Amino acid sequence: MATRREIEDHLGTLLSVERFKDYGPNGLQVEGRAEVRRLMSGVTASLALIDAAIEWKADALLVHHGLFWRGHDGRLVGWLAERVRRLMAHGISLFAYHLPLDAHPELGNNAQLGLRLGLAADARFGEQDLGFAGAAPAAQLDALAERVASVLGRAPLVVPGDGRPLARVGWCTGGAQSYFEAAIAAGVDAFVTGEISEPQAH
């Protein structure tokens, strides 16, 4: 068991929350009961995850994508009201950590993706050093694509380059297509990310 405050303090220190400019607040977003015996984690504070936390009798929920984002209306109406209402009615605290979790060198999304793909980061790039770069696990793009498909359980969208052998690979989870130029500047031959927009495809 831990207190809500102990968890918030520990995660804030562990993830170096204060060093990030983010799209929303990191840390405690909805205050529930003071003592936490059961903590559930998930990617997004969706209604389905909140309902699962209620059913599991969780005291707190730890997510990557919370409920509040920059530019968001902020009124507690509609879908947002329903999620907050359910959390508060059941005394469940909501902790959310976005960029601090992406960037953590061991526990973060990018570190864990690299580990699963057999990649070891020796450099960082992009906004707030969120992108990771390291030696390529395979010299050919098709071999890298096969590895990604095998690890993630789905075929990646592959935008072919100039056919060069791969010496270095960059990776950044989520919507990091805007880091494409930074990945090139970091000297990578292939960039693995969660999304791609039309301009990057060209």
Side-chain angles (χ1 to χ4, degrees), residues 30-157:
V30 177
E31 184 178 283
R33 62 184 63 91
E35 292 185 350
V36 178
R37 294 178 186 275
R38 304 189 89 184
L39 185 144
M40 178 181 276
S41 64
V43 176
T44 299
S46 65
L47 194 57
L49 183 63
I50 292 168
D51 284 343
I54 292 167
E55 184 177 342
W56 191 62
K57 298 186 181 353
D59 300 302
L61 190 53
L62 170 63
V63 298
H64 182 47
H65 298 135
L67 294 177
F68 304 100
W69 299 94
R70 182 174 58 210
H72 189 209
D73 181 301
R75 291 177 294 167
L76 289 176
V77 298
W79 65 269
L80 181 58
E82 186 57 33
R83 293 179 200 188
V84 172
R85 184 182 299 114
R86 289 190 194 195
L87 288 167
M88 295 191 81
H90 294 275
I92 300 172
S93 294
L94 176 66
F95 296 95
Y97 297 90
H98 186 234
L99 296 184
L101 190 56
D102 284 319
H104 194 276
E106 295 172 48
L107 304 173
N109 304 334
N110 291 313
Q112 290 297 310
L113 176 63
L115 183 67
R116 283 160 177 73
L117 293 177
L119 300 168
D122 57 30
R124 304 286 283 269
F125 65 89
E127 178 190 352
Q128 303 181 77
D129 287 334
L130 293 173
F132 286 43
Q140 300 301 321
L141 181 60
D142 58 351
L144 175 62
E146 286 176 18
R147 182 177 220 135
V148 170
S150 173
V151 169
L152 300 183
R154 64 180 187 160
L157 170 65

